[in-house]
Amino acid sequence: MDPLAHPLSSWRFRGPLRTYQAEVLERIEVGSDEKMHVVAPPGSGKTLLGLLLAAREGHRTLVLTPTLTIRQQWLREARKLAPEDDAVSDDPRRLGDLTVLTYQLLSVTGDGSPFEELARHRWIAELAETDRSEADAATWLATLEVDNPDRYRSGLRRRVRRVRRSFSQQRPEELARVLHPNAVEVIDAIVGSGVRTIVLDECHHLLDHWALVVAYLAARIRAAGSPPVLIGLTATLPSPDDGVEYENYTRLLGDVDYEVPAPAVVKEGHLAPYRDSIWFTQPDPTEAAFIRRHEALLADLVGQVLSSPDGVAYLEATLQPEPAAGSVPPTGTDDPDIARRARLEHALSTDFTLTRAAGVVLRAAAPGHPLGALLPPVLFGRCTTDDLLTVLTRFAQTRLLTDPTALRQWEHVRGALADFGLHLTDRGLRRGRDPVETTLTSSVAKDRAAVDILRRELSGDAGAQMRAVIVTDFVEHGSRRGLTGQPAGALRVFDLLAADEVTGTLRPVLLTAHHLRVRAVDAADLAEQLSAVLGDEVTVVDGAGGTRDLRVAEAGRGQVVAAVSELIRRGTVRVLVGTRGLLGEGWDCPSVNTLIDLTAVATSTGTQQLRGRTLRLDPAWPEKVAHNWSVACVIPASVDLDSPAETQRLRRRHGHLWGLSADDGTRIVSGLDHALPSAAIAALDDVLEKVPGATIERINEETLSRLPTRAQTRADWRIGEPHDSRERDVVSVRTTPEARLLRTGPTLAAAVPLTFGFSATGIALGTAALGAIGAVSLPLEAGVTVAALGGVLATAVVCGSSVLRALHRLRDPAALYGGAALAIARSLHDAGRVGPFDASTVRVRNRSAADFWIEIAGPRSDRALIADALQELFAVAESPRFLLRVDQGIFGRPGPVLDRIRSIVDRAVPGRRLLPVPAALSRRRADAEAFAARWRETVGQCELHELRGTTGLALLQVARLTPALLDPAEPRYRIWG
């Protein structure tokens, strides 16, 4: 191998590799692909892995990082492998065999959006293709921008969307037009130096401008005659919700070649074991008064608008629309109640969300209204704030805006909705910042919760080892609506910590881009210690009150962060307060073992980066266990107003994370289950559902009473033991006497006596008839015995298989749900939607006699599709095309006798179980029929019904009256191991 062409080929790592590092190097062959894409958690050794992948390729290499701190980490690790230090550089004017730069150095620094510039150039090129010169086209476009700006912006937006979808495929000279000359100059030097390998650290950032720069650099290397090698490393993938940006990301880096889940790294002992928990709080009195005013405002709106005759008439019309000719099938009866039900079902099928909201609002606004009796509680539950706002918005748009005489009422409703962050115009509805949500997100009660959490941690089994970081979104929050006193943010929470008699003894430090603040009593000593670590003068700024700012003479902010981290390591400082911009990605302080997350972050990237701050191994505490706390502020049950944003954020946040189950330390799960025990989740649901007597204190009591010690958490992780790295999706089922998949007991209780009675009666009548003609002569007792024995024999023949099947169902109810999952999986495979599945990919576990976990293994996309369909199958029917009747599944194949018995049992035993066939299996009738056939194979007898005509409406009414089978607390999550 030519050492000049492959300068990294001589680089060597002489230490032991971790298992997953070795697996990556083994799985990804040298020169096998131009794109390598690896996902691994913070602290798992991604830097070393990236260097080893680049060294195997051998080419001159450029490493791009998002921060200066991460750049320094790469430089340190690279110099350990390089034969000499000069081979590694961070100077764009002196490129080394491996050069480490930040994305920002190459990023766009000119004015305006580069995508708009690309779109403008594309528009000019399109015009030039229509017999215009490029100069004429540019002049025409400039004129359009001035004379008709709306048309210009519309055309530009369309082209920006197309450019965003395809910029990674643009020609280099097109991309160069929108890059700053300084960026182009650096890229020229990189390409000219012979760089072929580009390592993209924290590559989840490659969604917009940075992705454009990388695309340009790769295109330039390819144009120079050598295919570039891109190595993408990240702790977390960007979300598909990012749309076009996500498509560009995947186009640049391709599919993931290897993913290392955090639990695997913990199990192997390379990250600290951890436990996630959630602390709930409620608004303080001032904030609560602000929320109460909004509650009163909404109640006033309902009273003035929706409880008025016009409002009630609108609700009636929404629930009972006048159907177009033929849209609602004739009921065949003059019964007005049946006609009303038919109209309701038509409304639900046309606009389910609005109809359901109108129904619950009608119950609230006009409690005694006759239509209320038609609304099944399973579907039309509690009226929430969202329901009221949905109906108010639609009422204003459809009734008030179109009525010239209602202008004053339109303006009143419009102004009132603005107080909820809803901006209503004649073009539609635009959602802005909800002040109630902002009040909860920025509540001072969260800061006080941070104090409570620290007090509890200090009293725990590892209180002496505790080193905490409290992370906020802002230094000071800009919004003040609903707030009094000091603005929310890092400054406010620090002041509370400094003033508290317990947490103040932890010598807290506030560190932001512009602040270095400590308690006044600690200022002189901490200034002296920081000065010694920095080798730079640190002075105390004069001030009043209990805190003081420190001033550093010359050292940069990165050096200050490192110095404070050193004091944390020593135990001089035990609490650090800062923003996620400074203490998030790239900050490395292994001594930190407690995170209190006061941010509003819920993305996969932000969530996992924050959690990664506490998971580094601590040489000073080999038995380290991390505690990661989220804090949420929710409206108490005594207030009718809802604001689901905080709990929705929690569910999204913890859906991205793995952790030990709060109920069962042997299971590793995602979702709320790893942060809250089931009793706490139930208590939270009671608060959200406004159950009388429900309290937020009860949620915390249930959580803390089941929170194990750090030592127990470490034992529960079973570090070093063999483990299974499979990931599975889970659908959680909770049954009740009213909500069961099959009516096994009641059905048998009716079927067996009926069969025996009919059989014995028939035999007795037959024997009597034969006796009447002299063919048979039996005493009365013998005749009764023959009839009874005949009835038993006939019952055994007719119902024997059903009894055996029922006994099996009663002995192993989990098999029912496993069969349902298999029926879904195989039907989706039959439809070409997923790969093949067998029984080993589905496992059902009993949490109790009434609770079941359906676990689905297999490729990620396949199992997610199957779990989605299974969740839809067990949910309350909304607007399905097909229903599957399954409640008489204990019966065998159809036949004249069984069909007759089944018909009689159906009338004798009330209640049916009708399941909505998932949408993925309802687009074609053939798919629905195949699903019914698969159900008969894996579960039992069923009947497929397409919802047409009066019969369809009647079946849909029955289905909507039936409670769901899903666990209402946490119906869906993932499990690992």
Side-chain angles (χ1 to χ4, degrees), residues 430-504:
R430 180 172 59 85
R431 288 187 175 271
R433 177 175 293 177
D434 182 350
V436 174
E437 178 186 338
T438 301
T439 300
L440 296 174
T441 302
S442 307
S443 173
V444 70
K446 288 187 172 183
D447 300 351
R448 297 191 182 110
V451 173
D452 293 337
I453 291 169
L454 288 176
R455 283 171 167 256
R456 189 190 187 285
E457 290 289 357
L458 281 173
S459 66
D461 63 317
Q465 288 86 10
M466 190 204 74
R467 308 286 187 274
V469 59
I470 302 174
V471 184
T472 66
D473 285 311
F474 309 100
V475 177
E476 287 187 304
H477 197 289
S479 175
R480 300 300 309 278
R481 295 193 69 177
L483 306 175
T484 59
Q486 189 176 2
L491 295 179
R492 190 179 70 183
V493 68
F494 175 78
D495 285 348
L496 280 175
L497 293 175
D500 184 80
E501 62 180 5
V502 175
T503 58

Side-chain angles (χ1 to χ4, degrees), residues 405-722:
T405 64
L407 178 61
R408 180 174 297 179
Q409 194 176 15
W410 157 263
E411 292 296 342
H412 172 67
V413 173
R414 185 180 173 206
L417 290 176
D419 284 332
F420 291 89
L422 300 174
H423 303 291
L424 192 60
T425 70
D426 55 3
R427 294 191 300 272
L429 182 70
R430 180 172 59 85
R431 288 187 175 271
R433 177 175 293 177
D434 182 350
V436 174
E437 178 186 338
T438 301
T439 300
L440 296 174
T441 302
S442 307
S443 173
V444 70
K446 288 187 172 183
D447 300 351
R448 297 191 182 110
V451 173
D452 293 337
I453 291 169
L454 288 176
R455 283 171 167 256
R456 189 190 187 285
E457 290 289 357
L458 281 173
S459 66
D461 63 317
Q465 288 86 10
M466 190 204 74
R467 308 286 187 274
V469 59
I470 302 174
V471 184
T472 66
D473 285 311
F474 309 100
V475 177
E476 287 187 304
H477 197 289
S479 175
R480 300 300 309 278
R481 295 193 69 177
L483 306 175
T484 59
Q486 189 176 2
L491 295 179
R492 190 179 70 183
V493 68
F494 175 78
D495 285 348
L496 280 175
L497 293 175
D500 184 80
E501 62 180 5
V502 175
T503 58
T505 64
L506 300 173
R507 309 186 86 183
V509 171
L510 169 74
L511 182 59
T512 73
H514 302 290
H515 298 83
L516 177 57
R517 185 170 294 179
V518 299
R519 292 196 311 161
V521 296
D522 302 326
D525 181 52
L526 291 180
E528 181 180 351
Q529 295 202 45
L530 284 171
S531 181
V533 174
L534 286 167
D536 192 7
E537 184 181 10
V538 179
T539 57
V540 180
V541 179
D542 290 338
T547 63
R548 293 290 185 274
D549 286 335
L550 303 183
R551 180 183 295 129
V552 181
E554 295 182 1
R557 187 53 48 172
Q559 293 172 291
V560 175
V561 171
V564 173
S565 300
E566 171 60 18
L567 295 191
I568 294 173
R569 185 192 68 79
R570 296 176 183 179
T572 306
V573 172
R574 297 180 63 191
V575 177
L576 177 61
V577 180
T579 63
R580 60 187 173 94
L582 193 66
L583 302 180
E585 183 176 83
W587 179 56
D588 190 7
C589 184
S591 299
V592 169
N593 51 52
T594 302
L595 167 70
I596 301 177
D597 184 356
L598 300 182
T599 72
V601 169
T603 63
S604 173
T605 300
T607 296
Q608 298 197 50
Q609 290 292 349
L610 277 179
R611 294 317 184 268
R613 301 314 100 204
T614 60
L615 301 189
R616 307 274 185 176
L617 298 179
D618 182 3
W621 186 22
E623 301 299 305
K624 172 181 176 178
V625 176
H627 274 183
N628 298 321
W629 289 89
S630 293
V631 180
C633 185
V634 296
I635 298 175
S638 58
V639 179
D640 287 337
L641 198 70
D642 298 285
S643 182
E646 283 276 280
T647 50
Q648 289 172 352
R649 187 181 299 120
L650 284 177
R651 292 184 186 278
R652 290 198 306 274
R653 176 184 293 174
H654 290 278
H656 301 309
L657 300 170
W658 293 107
L660 294 173
S661 167
D663 287 320
D664 179 0
T666 66
R667 303 171 72 244
I668 296 173
V669 301
S670 71
L672 286 185
D673 277 3
H674 79 268
L676 292 173
S678 55
I681 294 176
L684 171 61
D685 287 340
D686 285 347
V687 170
L688 298 178
E689 290 298 319
K690 310 297 183 183
V691 174
T695 65
I696 292 166
E697 290 79 7
R698 175 67 186 278
I699 308 172
N700 291 334
E701 289 169 3
E702 295 291 353
T703 299
L704 297 177
S705 67
R706 292 167 172 79
L707 185 64
T709 63
R710 296 204 192 210
Q712 183 59 51
T713 293
R714 185 175 185 87
D716 288 342
W717 273 98
R718 297 190 293 280
I719 298 168
E721 295 183 13

